[in-house]
């Protein structure tokens, strides 16, 4: 993508292909507003910047009405990207949008914007930092509230400030070393050593925190999934339904009814979570089933929160329960059965075994059946399903607590930043091991210089053009 | 009317160096020096060398210059600075007998048949129209106070602190270039036209004390270091020319700083009497008292000024406070209780040339044939002055002979770093070399000076003894460097035992001698020396030193080359300083500095003092 082109550009900021009440078309980078006079019924020379005007958009040559529109003029540099920008709010019909775009492209010296070009200009004109642009990308393209929040942080410059702080710390450390080399007579060995040690400590503390943020696992936050696992007929679908508070999954007492994944969304504390019901985990020779089982296992490793539902009265319970340690939560179901307590007693040795306690074995189960004649067997046409008692609330609370803990770490999720922070961190570790055995200040200082170049890459000082291209290729048009 | 090829105005460290090297080119050289000022005198500290500066002295020596020779002839104490901090930043410093130093300069320069020393003062330089355009040699006429008129093809101005100079002690101001040495005309008067340049700098010096009035029992002694190598190539590395004496260490007291702070406003530095800008890295004691209000202990080095002189230079308390205050604060210092002052401390303001208008040869861009070198270029230090004198001298001579200019690269010498900094960065304070100014510090060391400058020296085509010596050095270096990889240690029992006995560590696989001396637990120089003795091989000690140290740094230097390209490309990117000074995103302080210095590339901006990381990051966004 060639970003070097200048001149006025046009694009629909709200997407060209969907019908909506309003769409916004932006023109950016023109010299004088009045060059578009022929398109509008209002005298453009009277337009005050950042005021809203209702007018008619006309064909510049034929004068016929194209649409009824609202205009806002942003005069550079007080605009999104420091250029002159005209925003046209038109009716959100794809045909109208295409007509207007075409009209300007054919009849004026305006060309269609490349993806991300508005923002590129904002970057070039220093309205946004690279971190801010990357944050914007998150806001526009991410699937979760968490990412949107992260994007906003980046857009508001929180990350950039942190990086500048990091740079300040490295500059201080570098200066303390240079002080010890060039001005040792003035400062003396003692104050040199103490300043150096203090600078290293401060840098280390800051970098450890940053590195933690950049290395913590976050992918599950992007689109958090709660996945229910368990042997056939253990009660997954019942749990699923009660989490959803209505009946969606087909529930029967015939083993293997839920053959494919069923997904729904639930809302916890205003955040969306995807709820997934899986096929049984039990080994089977049936082809379709075994494929499903493979998928199930990979899903368990990737999902945000995994729940294992097992029935202690099932003869295979011992084998199933051995997997419990791989899950966030294990629910023992069918407590209504006459042999439930007996079974728990039978396996009590198993529960006390520490190895299994790792599995978040919880007492929130058993899940009670919905009808008095369990096993879980709600029949259509019968009385509405009653919500589960305390169990579901506990589950939700546990999911939310895991989610908010992860969020508190305020992970840095921009891949470029994660990579770069990681490599800074590695260099710093190498620097630390170097100063343990090396007394040669020139070598130490040299290592520090390489470290500070890594840090400057983060703030954008040494950023190569490819990095920028990558950033912009992820953009859709009109932003 | 007499005629010269080259006239040097000023007989300080820059002027003497320029005269010495130009005379090697068989040109007719005139050195004009003020009648009552000795050649190469040391009006400030009686020492040559130091961190970064020791490298410069050796560089000048390797190019055939004078300063190393003079230093060794007058050296009364040698020290290796930064010894614990590694070879790359280690430097030699010598205390000198300043009397002998000056006398030897006079003797050595007088021995050169084609140098004429004229004790006179130039007050006007006029350019005669290009009468000799055919060979690009301009003719200038100089008018001297004695009535003498001189024609010359090239002029090197090395007027030091004398141009339009003014000394300050308290309220007393005199038109002097040094204390009791009358100032000369201003730069504009000398050049007979308005250069549009009114830059003035300030420097200062401490009072000199009578040695006999000091209580040496209260000082800490610092002896001369016998392991430091002499500066001049033709001297035995360790044999000193003169008896060696000690320096001593003392410090200011709470009372000292109290006196100084109470009388701060009596100092011309603080009450606005001095307009010139002083160096931040070399503050006066008044500055120190102001800048570090919580600190009352400041080191003072008690440096003898010469074997036959009974004065000392108290390094660390440069001042221009009134005389009575100087006296009272001096006597509050440990061991100085009864000290008598021989010469009072003073500050001096002087005209400075805008070095941005000079070529890398130190020739003025608007005044062809006119070169500027030394302190009037806004540098500080004898070594910096001498380095410029050498470069201006060589280039004026080459220009006379219509040969291509001589420029040292930034990558291979401190002199190269200095001159490039001088002509590419506009500054607002005196310039001093630090090792930190050098991006290539691991390579630009004291020990490998000849390796770095051999080709440059050869290119002068002077064919004298030093060239024979350097050729021999390079040959030995090459042989020994190769020997390091040829000599192998095999993993047999007897070699293992030998390693154990010598403390060389384990021997688990076949290693070379190079591998051995790179071991971080060993001192490379000692190890190589030992092994060569055992093998019965004989090399010059300076070759052994350099080969061993070079081996140690090889890997690190290679690593740097990988990143260098990337950094260079970025540093060379152009920036628009005009836009930066009106930007609201840059702090006011940074904007002021940018406006003053007007950097054109990102590298220049980065090298500027006082530029914040936030500013750099902001500017860098433009360059992506």
């Amino acid at each position: 993508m060639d970003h070097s082109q200048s001149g006025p550009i046009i694009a629909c900021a709200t997407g060209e292909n969907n019908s909506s009440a309003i769409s916004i078309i932006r023109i950016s980078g023109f010299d004088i507003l009045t060059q578009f006079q022929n398109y509008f019924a209002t005298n453009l020379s009277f337009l005050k910047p950042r005021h809203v005007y209702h007018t008619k958009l006309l064909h510049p040559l034929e004068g016929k009405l194209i649409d009824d529109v609202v205009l806002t003029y942003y005069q550079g540099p007080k605009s999104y990207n420091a250029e002159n920008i005209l925003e046209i709010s038109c009716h959100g019909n794809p045909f109208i949008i295409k007509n207007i775009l075409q009209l300007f492209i054919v009849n004026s010296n305006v060309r269609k914007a490349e993806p991300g070009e508005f923002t590129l200009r904002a970057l070039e004109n220093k309205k946004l930092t690279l971190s801010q642009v990357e944050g914007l990308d998150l806001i526009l393209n991410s699937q979760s509230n968490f990412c949107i929040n992260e994007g906003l942080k980046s857009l508001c410059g929180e990350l950039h400030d942190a990086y500048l702080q990091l740079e300040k710390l490295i500059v201080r450390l570098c200066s303390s070393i240079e002080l010890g080399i060039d001005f040792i007579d003035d400062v003396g060995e003692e104050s040199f050593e103490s300043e150096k040690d203090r600078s290293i400590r401060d840098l280390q503390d800051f970098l450890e925190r940053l590195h933690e943020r950049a290395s913590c696992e976050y992918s599950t936050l992007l689109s958090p999934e709660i996945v229910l696992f368990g042997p056939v007929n253990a009660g997954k679908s019942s749990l699923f339904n009660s989490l959803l508070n209505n009946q969606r999954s087909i529930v029967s007492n015939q083993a293997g009814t839920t053959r494919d994944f069923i997904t729904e969304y639930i809302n916890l504390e205003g955040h969306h979570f995807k709820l997934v019901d899986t096929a049984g985990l039990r080994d089977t020779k049936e082809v379709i089933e075994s494929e499903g089982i493979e998928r199930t296992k990979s899903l368990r490793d990737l999902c945000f929160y995994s729940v294992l539902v097992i029935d202690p009265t099932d003869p295979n319970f011992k084998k199933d329960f051995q997997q419990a340690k791989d899950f966030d939560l294990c629910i023992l179901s069918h407590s209504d059965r006459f042999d439930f307590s007996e079974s728990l007693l039978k396996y009590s040795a198993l529960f006390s075994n520490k190895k299994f306690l790792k599995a978040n074995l919880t007492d929130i189960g058993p899940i009670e059946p919905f009808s008095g004649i369990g096993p879980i067997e709600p029949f259509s046409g019968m009385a509405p399903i009653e919500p589960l008692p305390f169990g579901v609330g506990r589950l939700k609370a546990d999911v939310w607590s895991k989610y908010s803990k992860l969020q508190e770490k305020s992970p840095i999720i921009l891949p470029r930043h994660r990579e770069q922070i990681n490599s800074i961190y590695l260099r710093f570790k190498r620097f630390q091991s170097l100063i343990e055995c090396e007394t040669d200040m020139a070598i130490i200082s040299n290592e520090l210089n390489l470290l500070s170049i890594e840090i400057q890459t983060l703030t954008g000082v040494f950023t190569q053009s490819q990095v920028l291209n990558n950033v912009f290729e992820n953009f859709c048009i009109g932003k | 009317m007499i005629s010269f090829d080259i006239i040097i105005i000023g007989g300080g460290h820059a002027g003497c160096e320029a005269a010495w090297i130009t005379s090697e080119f068989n040109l007719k050289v005139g050195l004009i020096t003020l009648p009552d000022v000795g050649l190469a005198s040391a009006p400030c500290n009686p020492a040559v060398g130091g961190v970064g500066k020791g490298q410069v002295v050796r560089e000048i020596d390797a190019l055939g210059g004078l300063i190393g020779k003079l230093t060794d002839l007058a050296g009364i104490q040698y020290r290796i600075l930064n010894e614990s901090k590694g070879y790359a930043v280690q430097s030699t410093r010598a205390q000198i007998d300043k009397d002998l130093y000056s006398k030897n300069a006079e003797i050595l320069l007088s021995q050169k048949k084609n140098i004429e020393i004229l004790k006179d003062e130039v007050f006007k330089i006029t350019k005669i129209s290009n009468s000799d355009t055919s060979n690009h040699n301009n003719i200038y006429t100089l008018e001297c106070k004695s009535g003498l008129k001189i024609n010359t093809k090239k002029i090197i101005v090395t007027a030091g602190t004398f141009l339009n100079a003014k000394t300050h002690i308290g309220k007393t101001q005199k038109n002097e270039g040094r204390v009791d040495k009358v100032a000369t005309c201003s730069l504009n008067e000398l050049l007979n036209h308005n250069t549009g340049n009114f830059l003035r700098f300030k420097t200062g010096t401490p009072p000199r004390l009578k040695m006999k009035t000091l209580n040496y029992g209260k000082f800490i002694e610092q002896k001369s270091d016998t392991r430091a190598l002499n500066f001049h190539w033709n001297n035995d590395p360790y044999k000193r020319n003169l008896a060696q004496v000690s320096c001593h260490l003392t410090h200011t007291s709470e009372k000292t700083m109290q006196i100084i702070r109470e009388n701060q406003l009596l100092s011309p530095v603080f009450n606005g009497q001095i307009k010139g800008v002083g160096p931040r890295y070399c503050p006066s004691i008044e500055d120190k008292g102001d800048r570090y209000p919580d600190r009352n202990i400041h080191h003072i080095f008690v440096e003898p000024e010469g074997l036959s002189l009974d004065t000392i230079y108290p390094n660390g308390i440069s001042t221009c406070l009134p005389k009575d205050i100087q006296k009272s604060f001096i006597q509050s210092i440990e061991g100085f209780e009864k000290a008598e002052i021989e010469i009072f401390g003073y500050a001096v303001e002087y005209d400075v040339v805008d070095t941005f208008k000079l070529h890398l040869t130190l020739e003025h861009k608007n005044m062809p044939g006119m070169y500027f070198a030394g302190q009037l270029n806004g540098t500080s230090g004898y070594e910096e002055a001498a380095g410029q004198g050498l470069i201006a001298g060589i280039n004026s001579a080459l220009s006379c002979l219509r040969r291509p200019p001589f420029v040292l690269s930034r990558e291979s010498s401190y002199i190269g770093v200095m001159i490039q900094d001088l002509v590419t960065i506009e500054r607002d304070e005196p310039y001093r070399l630090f090792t930190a100014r050098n991006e290539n510090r691991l390579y630009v060391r004291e020990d490998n000076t000849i390796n770095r400058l051999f080709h440059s020296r050869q290119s002068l085509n002077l064919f004298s003894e030093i060239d024979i010596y350097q050729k021999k050095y390079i040959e030995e270096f090459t042989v020994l460097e190769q020997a390091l990889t040829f000599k192998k240690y095999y993993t047999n029992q007897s070699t293992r035992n030998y390693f154990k006995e010598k403390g060389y560590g384990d021997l688990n696989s076949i290693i070379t001698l190079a591998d051995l001396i790179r071991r971080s637990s060993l001192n490379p120089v000692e190890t190589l020396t030992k092994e060569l003795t055992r093998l019965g091989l004989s090399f010059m000690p300076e070759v052994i030193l350099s080969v061993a140290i070079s081996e140690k740094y090889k890997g690190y230097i290679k690593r740097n080359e990988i990143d260098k390209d990337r950094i260079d490309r970025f540093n060379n990117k152009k920036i628009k300083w005009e836009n930066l000074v009106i930007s609201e995103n840059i702090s006011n302080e940074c904007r002021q500095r940018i406006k003053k210095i007007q950097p054109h590339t990102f590298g220049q901006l980065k090298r500027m003092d006082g530029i914040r990381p936030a500013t750099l990051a902001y500017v860098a966004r433009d360059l992506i």
Side-chain angles (χ1 to χ4, degrees):
Chain A
M1 174 164 54
D2 181 12
H3 291 300
S4 60
Q5 288 167 303
S6 55
I9 47 173
I10 188 167
C12 178
T14 47
E16 287 175 33
N17 299 318
N18 295 315
S19 293
S20 56
I22 300 171
S23 278
I24 298 172
I25 290 172
R26 269 183 183 166
I27 309 175
S28 174
F30 50 87
D31 291 334
I32 38 168
L33 183 61
T34 46
Q35 76 178 91
F36 302 119
Q37 185 58 64
N38 290 347
Y39 293 84
F40 300 101
T42 307
N43 187 344
L44 293 183
S45 51
F46 294 132
L47 249 60
K48 273 195 208 161
R50 288 173 288 137
H51 280 60
V52 177
Y53 296 88
H54 180 211
T55 183
K56 289 183 167 40
L57 201 153
L58 311 167
H59 192 290
L61 306 175
E62 302 159 16
K64 77 171 189 213
L65 179 68
I66 303 292
D67 194 13
D68 199 40
V69 297
V70 168
L71 286 186
T72 319
Y73 171 50
Y74 298 90
Q75 191 170 26
K78 287 183 179 174
S79 72
Y80 173 64
N81 59 11
E83 296 184 332
N84 290 335
I85 290 181
L86 182 63
E87 264 183 24
I88 306 165
S89 304
C90 62
H91 289 107
N93 180 317
F95 291 105
I96 294 181
I97 297 166
K98 283 192 179 109
N99 272 344
I100 297 176
L101 292 177
Q102 244 355 77
L103 213 56
F104 278 95
I105 291 166
V106 172
N107 298 303
S108 299
N109 64 336
V110 177
R111 71 172 162 80
K112 194 149 188 205
E114 298 286 336
E117 201 170 359
F118 286 93
T119 302
L120 175 72
R121 291 182 177 191
L123 183 82
E124 282 175 345
N125 296 330
K126 299 189 174 187
K127 280 280 179 174
L128 294 173
T129 68
L130 191 52
S131 299
Q132 285 177 315
V133 171
E134 289 164 322
L136 188 68
D137 182 32
L138 268 183
I139 293 173
L140 297 171
N141 295 328
S142 62
Q143 306 290 327
S144 76
N145 287 14
F146 167 73
C147 283
I148 293 173
N149 288 340
E150 285 308 303
L152 283 171
K153 268 193 217 165
S154 194
L155 187 68
C156 296
E158 187 260 353
L159 276 180
H160 192 69
D161 289 349
Y163 300 155
L164 284 183
Q165 177 61 23
L166 180 66
E167 204 177 349
K168 250 182 217 164
L169 290 171
I170 186 92
V171 167
R172 197 177 114 199
L173 176 54
C174 288
S175 348
S176 82
I177 300 278
E178 299 309 329
L179 194 72
I181 294 173
D182 280 323
F183 303 94
I184 195 65
D185 273 358
D186 304 63
V187 294
E189 287 290 346
E190 252 175 55
S191 60
F192 156 61
E193 287 290 341
S194 74
E195 170 64 18
K196 184 188 77 184
D197 292 345
R198 203 169 39 235
S199 305
I200 291 175
R201 228 173 20 244
D202 289 352
L203 178 63
Q204 178 179 3
D205 291 349
F206 194 83
L207 202 49
E208 291 283 359
R209 281 201 304 276
L210 204 59
H211 180 245
E212 208 176 287
R213 288 177 63 187
S215 54
C216 74
E217 181 46 52
Y218 71 96
S219 57
T220 55
L221 285 175
L222 299 183
S223 164
E225 288 175 334
I226 304 165
V227 188
L228 309 182
F229 301 88
V232 283
N233 275 4
K236 299 185 296 292
S237 303
S238 296
L239 180 62
F240 183 88
N241 288 338
S242 42
L243 279 167
L244 280 175
N245 237 348
N246 64 25
Q247 192 181 357
R248 278 289 171 85
S249 222
I250 313 155
V251 179
S252 82
N253 62 345
Q254 203 187 334
T257 313
T258 317
R259 202 166 261 180
D260 212 342
F261 303 158
I262 295 170
T263 59
E264 279 298 332
Y265 284 90
I266 61 168
N267 188 299
L268 296 179
E269 315 272 337
H271 287 246
H272 289 291
F273 290 82
K274 197 189 212 176
L275 188 60
V276 182
D277 185 6
T278 61
L281 277 175
R282 192 170 290 161
D283 289 337
T284 170
K285 289 202 168 89
E286 210 184 315
V287 181
I288 305 169
E289 279 291 321
S290 59
E291 267 175 16
I293 287 164
E294 272 312 300
R295 282 171 64 192
T296 302
K297 279 181 180 159
S298 80
L299 193 60
R300 183 197 61 207
D301 294 336
L302 294 174
C303 74
F304 170 71
Y305 194 90
S306 58
V307 183
L308 179 65
V309 184
I310 34 179
D311 174 6
T313 64
D314 189 298
N316 284 311
F317 175 74
K318 194 170 173 180
K319 190 174 157 239
D320 291 334
F321 185 70
Q322 280 171 354
Q323 307 165 351
K325 63 179 189 305
D326 297 327
F327 293 84
D328 290 299
L329 189 73
C330 175
I331 293 177
L332 305 178
S333 63
H334 295 83
S335 67
D336 60 316
R337 279 179 61 150
F338 64 94
D339 47 355
F340 183 79
S341 322
E342 202 183 310
S343 306
L344 291 189
L345 274 177
K346 192 166 104 196
Y347 298 116
S348 62
L350 213 56
F351 300 145
S352 63
N353 186 326
K354 277 180 185 159
K355 194 178 153 200
F356 292 113
L357 285 178
K358 274 185 193 165
N360 262 342
L361 178 67
T362 167
D363 62 353
I364 77 153
I367 288 172
E368 275 147 358
F370 304 113
S371 69
I373 43 165
I376 304 170
E377 218 170 9
F379 298 104
S380 50
M382 286 202 49
I385 292 159
E386 288 166 15
L388 279 176
F390 60 103
V392 167
R394 291 282 296 274
L395 194 157
K396 285 181 176 174
D398 196 52
V399 170
W400 178 248
S401 130
K402 183 180 179 185
Y403 186 77
S404 47
K405 260 187 206 147
L406 197 51
Q407 240 188 339
E408 267 166 34
K409 286 185 184 165
S410 129
I412 293 167
I413 58 178
L414 300 164
R416 182 181 78 89
H417 295 214
R418 286 174 73 91
E419 237 167 68
Q420 195 57 33
I421 290 171
N422 228 350
S423 100
I424 289 170
Y425 188 72
L426 289 179
R427 281 247 194 204
F428 182 72
K429 286 285 151 199
R430 216 161 63 194
F431 168 73
Q432 279 190 312
S433 57
L434 178 80
I435 51 174
E436 265 165 36
C437 59
E438 186 58 76
T439 55
D440 191 306
M441 281 298 149
I443 289 176
I444 289 172
S445 152
N446 196 53
E447 191 63 32
L448 263 185
N449 282 339
L450 297 177
L451 181 64
S452 62
I453 291 167
E454 291 289 349
I455 290 176
Q456 287 168 334
T457 309
L458 197 57
T459 51
V461 170
F462 280 99
T463 308
Q464 295 128 318
S465 49
Q466 307 98 284
V467 177
L468 201 74
N469 275 336
N470 283 335
V471 171
F472 280 101
E473 271 160 21
N474 292 326
F475 267 83
C476 316
I477 192 143
K479 286 169 191 169
Chain B
M1 179 77 77
I2 47 174
S3 291
F4 288 92
D5 291 314
I6 297 165
I7 281 287
I8 295 143
I9 303 174
H13 299 273
C16 288
E17 208 64 65
W20 177 262
I21 197 74
T22 43
S23 74
E24 299 270 309
F25 290 86
N26 280 325
L27 296 163
K28 197 179 172 206
V29 180
L31 177 61
I32 305 177
T33 177
L34 292 173
D36 61 340
V37 181
L39 288 179
S41 57
C44 203
N45 59 328
V48 172
V51 180
K53 298 164 172 240
Q55 279 90 328
V56 174
V57 175
R58 293 195 193 278
E59 286 171 10
I60 296 171
D61 196 66
L63 292 168
L66 185 61
I67 190 170
K69 199 177 170 92
L70 287 175
T71 305
D72 281 352
L73 280 172
I76 54 176
Q77 198 224 29
Y78 285 75
R79 276 188 69 200
I80 304 171
L81 302 176
N82 273 344
E83 195 172 10
S84 66
K85 300 201 167 63
Y87 294 104
V89 292
Q90 242 170 46
S91 303
T92 314
R93 183 176 66 199
Q95 299 299 135
I96 52 159
D97 181 317
K98 63 181 213 177
D99 220 25
L100 278 176
Y101 193 94
S102 183
K103 277 178 188 151
N104 284 320
E106 190 120 22
I107 294 168
L108 288 174
L109 287 169
S110 314
Q111 283 168 353
K112 293 270 184 181
K113 289 197 182 74
N114 50 347
I115 301 179
E116 191 168 335
I117 300 172
L118 304 153
K119 305 263 177 181
D120 212 328
E121 183 184 333
V122 182
F123 66 89
K124 199 175 182 184
I125 301 172
T126 326
K127 190 179 175 191
I128 299 175
S129 60
N130 286 348
S131 48
D132 198 7
T133 45
S134 55
N135 61 6
H136 306 288
N137 278 336
N138 304 281
I139 302 281
Y140 287 97
T141 299
L142 285 67
E143 292 170 60
C144 298
K145 281 260 169 84
S146 66
L148 188 68
K149 279 195 173 188
I150 301 169
N151 272 354
T152 182
K153 294 177 190 161
K154 310 284 173 198
I155 300 175
I156 305 172
V157 186
T158 61
T161 62
F162 278 90
L163 294 176
N164 196 19
K166 193 183 265 180
T167 59
H168 302 255
I169 304 178
K171 275 187 190 156
T172 318
Q173 301 178 43
K174 289 180 181 168
N175 291 328
E176 296 171 329
R178 291 172 197 166
V179 82
D180 295 334
K181 311 281 184 202
V182 167
T184 63
C185 58
S186 75
L187 183 65
N188 286 341
E189 285 163 351
L190 180 71
L191 301 178
N192 202 17
H193 77 104
N194 189 345
T195 56
N197 173 34
F198 299 99
L199 204 55
R200 275 171 86 73
F201 283 169
K202 167 253 162 187
T203 188
T205 194
R208 304 306 195 277
L209 311 178
K210 288 182 185 163
M211 197 185 276
K212 291 197 182 80
T213 62
L214 307 183
N215 182 356
Y216 274 78
K218 292 201 172 177
F219 302 152
I220 299 164
E221 187 179 3
Q222 288 187 325
K223 285 201 160 94
S224 183
D225 191 338
T226 51
R227 296 162 311 149
L229 267 68
N230 280 330
F231 280 114
H232 185 46
W233 64 271
N234 205 14
N235 290 340
D236 179 297
Y238 301 105
K239 214 174 132 200
R240 310 288 183 229
N241 188 46
L242 297 172
Q244 298 297 290
V245 297
S246 296
C247 286
H248 294 81
L249 185 62
T250 183
H251 53 81
T252 57
S253 65
E254 203 169 310
K255 197 177 166 208
T256 317
M257 298 317 290
Q258 191 193 334
I259 298 169
I260 288 162
R261 288 190 188 109
E262 277 169 5
N263 294 290
Q264 181 176 313
L265 288 178
L266 297 177
S267 168
V269 181
F270 283 95
N271 62 18
Q273 188 175 315
I274 288 180
K275 303 275 187 297
V277 191
R280 282 178 307 164
Y281 48 80
C282 189
S284 63
I285 192 72
E286 298 95 287
D287 276 320
K288 288 183 191 173
D290 182 56
R291 238 187 269 171
Y292 312 102
D294 302 328
R295 218 174 129 182
N296 290 320
I297 307 265
H298 295 280
H299 289 308
I300 300 168
F301 295 91
V302 180
E303 305 177 359
E305 292 209 288
L307 292 178
S308 55
L309 294 167
D310 64 350
T311 50
I312 67 99
Y313 175 95
N315 192 344
I317 47 169
S318 138
T319 181
C320 54
L321 282 163
K323 290 184 180 177
D324 54 328
I325 314 271
Q326 288 195 27
K327 198 167 174 189
S328 71
F329 90 68
I330 284 288
Q331 292 188 340
S332 71
I333 291 166
E334 194 86 343
F336 289 180
E337 291 84 356
K338 293 184 175 143
E340 285 174 26
I341 296 176
E342 174 84 20
I343 300 166
F344 284 92
Y346 63 93
V348 59
E349 283 183 285
Y350 50 95
D351 280 4
V352 177
V353 171
D354 178 4
T355 47
F356 208 74
K357 298 197 175 108
L358 302 183
H359 291 291
L360 284 169
T361 57
L362 297 179
E363 185 177 16
H364 201 282
K365 287 176 182 167
N366 306 333
M367 293 177 265
M370 182 96 76
Y371 297 75
F372 292 89
Q375 197 154 5
L376 93 161
N377 277 349
T379 61
S380 81
Y382 310 144
E383 305 80 3
E384 284 89 341
Q388 294 167 63
L390 182 88
I391 296 299
I394 289 173
N395 278 298
S396 61
L398 291 174
S399 173
C400 266
L401 300 166
R402 278 169 277 163
R403 282 170 52 185
F406 178 83
V407 173
L408 295 179
S409 79
R410 195 178 178 88
E411 284 70 34
S412 67
S413 67
Y414 274 91
I415 299 178
V417 168
M418 168 176 67
I419 295 191
Q420 203 191 11
D421 283 352
L422 286 180
V423 306
T424 56
I425 308 171
E426 281 194 69
R427 297 152 293 124
D428 51 10
E429 68 173 336
Y431 180 94
R432 177 184 137 186
L433 270 173
F434 313 124
T435 68
R437 296 203 195 266
N438 191 329
E439 298 84 355
N440 209 14
R441 173 159 78 176
L442 292 181
Y443 173 65
V444 186
R445 306 184 305 265
E446 267 199 341
D447 66 85
N448 63 350
T449 313
I450 297 171
N451 303 63
R452 293 189 276 119
L453 296 177
F454 175 67
H455 289 292
S456 302
R457 167 69 201 181
Q458 294 285 304
S459 74
L460 298 178
N461 286 329
L462 289 173
F463 308 114
S464 66
E465 267 175 78
I466 186 176
D467 297 290
I468 299 163
Y469 161 77
Q470 289 190 353
K471 247 184 198 150
K472 184 163 172 261
Y473 170 97
I474 294 291
E475 274 164 22
E476 280 199 16
F477 187 97
T478 315
V479 171
L480 182 53
E481 201 183 27
Q482 282 172 357
L484 289 189
T485 54
F486 292 154
K487 169 64 191 165
K488 289 192 174 69
Y489 297 90
Y490 296 94
T491 54
N492 53 45
Q493 199 52 47
S494 67
T495 317
R496 280 206 181 111
N497 289 342
Y498 172 73
F499 266 49
K500 202 172 246 173
E501 178 197 319
K502 291 282 177 187
Y504 286 173
D506 296 338
L507 184 62
N508 298 323
S509 57
I510 304 170
I511 62 164
T512 62
L513 181 51
D515 295 329
L516 178 67
I517 64 174
R518 267 205 307 267
R519 289 189 170 185
S520 61
S521 56
L522 300 178
N523 177 314
V525 182
E526 282 171 19
T527 310
L528 182 58
T529 313
K530 261 191 259 176
E531 286 304 288
L532 291 177
T533 316
R534 190 177 68 97
L535 297 168
L537 297 170
S538 154
F539 288 91
M540 291 192 276
E542 57 269 39
V543 169
I544 299 173
L545 185 79
S546 185
V547 167
I549 297 171
S550 300
E551 193 57 44
K552 180 176 164 77
Y553 286 113
K554 225 175 226 170
Y556 293 99
I557 293 169
K558 211 171 206 164
R559 255 184 70 195
N560 281 359
E561 282 167 3
I562 302 167
D563 280 310
K564 202 180 160 300
D565 260 8
R566 182 159 74 120
I567 300 165
D568 279 358
R569 230 180 305 133
F570 205 77
N571 282 343
N572 291 335
K573 292 209 170 165
K574 295 262 182 293
I575 57 172
K576 284 195 180 122
W577 66 267
E578 297 91 338
N579 295 348
L580 301 182
V581 296
I582 50 167
S583 167
E584 284 169 17
N585 296 305
I586 295 177
S587 76
N588 193 30
E589 192 192 317
C590 286
R591 290 206 313 247
Q592 293 302 322
R593 296 195 79 85
I594 291 169
K595 194 172 184 180
K596 210 163 193 176
I597 307 289
Q598 307 181 356
H600 293 279
T601 66
F602 189 69
Q604 277 178 25
L605 182 73
K606 264 172 72 179
R607 280 203 291 270
M608 270 170 60
D609 295 315
I611 294 298
R612 297 183 186 165
T615 304
L616 287 178
Y618 174 75
V619 176
R621 271 186 244 160
D622 220 12
L623 307 176
I624 296 165

